[in-house]
Amino acid sequence: MKFFVDTADVSEIRDLAATGLVDGVTTNPSLIAKSGRRILDVIAEICDIVDGPISAEVAATDFDTMLREGQKLAKIADNVTVKVPLTPDGLKTCRALSDAGTKVNVTLCFSAGQAILAAKAGASFISPFIGRLDDISSNGMGLIADIVQIYRNYDNFKTEVLVASIRSPSDVTEAAKLGAHVSTLPPSVLRQLFQHPLTDKGLQAFLKDWEATGQSILDQ
Ligand code: E4P
């Protein structure tokens, strides 16, 4: 499973990329707004930090403007993936950009039927929002299971399932068990994945016992 981080905070991205575990980045208009920066500057900086796909979302809702915005965002760097909403105009834009060789991430997916449309429109990624479904007492992980199963049935569907709106480490492991290709993680969830109290406890015991030996590996 690939790990993307879901933030436009460049210092967070730099910090997490240093772990060697970050395969890409997703942003959206809300995250860009939170950064307080110009989208073109932020995306360019992120593309310099992480080699993998960097999702930059269009802000228009009509085909002509979405296409022009997408083309402009794609010019920022080779690793930009243009993100479009799952609407008729968004999928038309997806087809046009994909045909021109630009990767597209179709966002705001909340049903398996929408995911089929995105695959048919040539999306490189489909982003089902599991947390927002769970928030309305629906079943986010059930949607991931359905999309993974459907995509596996068709060799001509090349779209990767990018699990979005993740809220916890268990969302990541459940999505991995289902075979989803990518999880996009809020930085806090990526940090939480490292943690286990028995790891901390075990390490403290090893360090204490080691200190008692008086040894140094580097001095031997
Ligand atoms: C990622 O591409 C999405 O924009 C993001 O995961 C949405 O997450 P949220 O529901 O926590 O805002």
Side-chain angles (χ1 to χ4, degrees), residues 6 26 28 83 129 132 164-165 167 184:
D6 194 30
T26 51
N28 62 37
K83 207 170 172 190
F129 279 33
R132 294 191 195 186
S165 191
R167 305 275 197 250
T184 188

Side-chain angles (χ1 to χ4, degrees), residues 92-107:
K92 206 171 145 189
T93 308
C94 175
R95 170 51 67 201
L97 290 170
S98 299
D99 284 351
T102 298
K103 282 189 172 181
V104 180
N105 174 359
V106 175
T107 189

Side-chain angles (χ1 to χ4, degrees), residues 103-124:
K103 282 189 172 181
V104 180
N105 174 359
V106 175
T107 189
L108 292 168
C109 170
F110 294 96
S111 76
Q114 289 179 319
I116 293 173
L117 294 179
K120 288 179 69 65
S124 293

Side-chain angles (χ1 to χ4, degrees), residues 24-43:
V25 177
T26 51
T27 66
N28 62 37
S30 305
L31 293 170
I32 296 291
K34 196 172 161 198
S35 79
R37 300 182 57 198
R38 286 159 51 93
I39 183 168
L40 262 61
D41 296 341
V42 187
I43 298 298

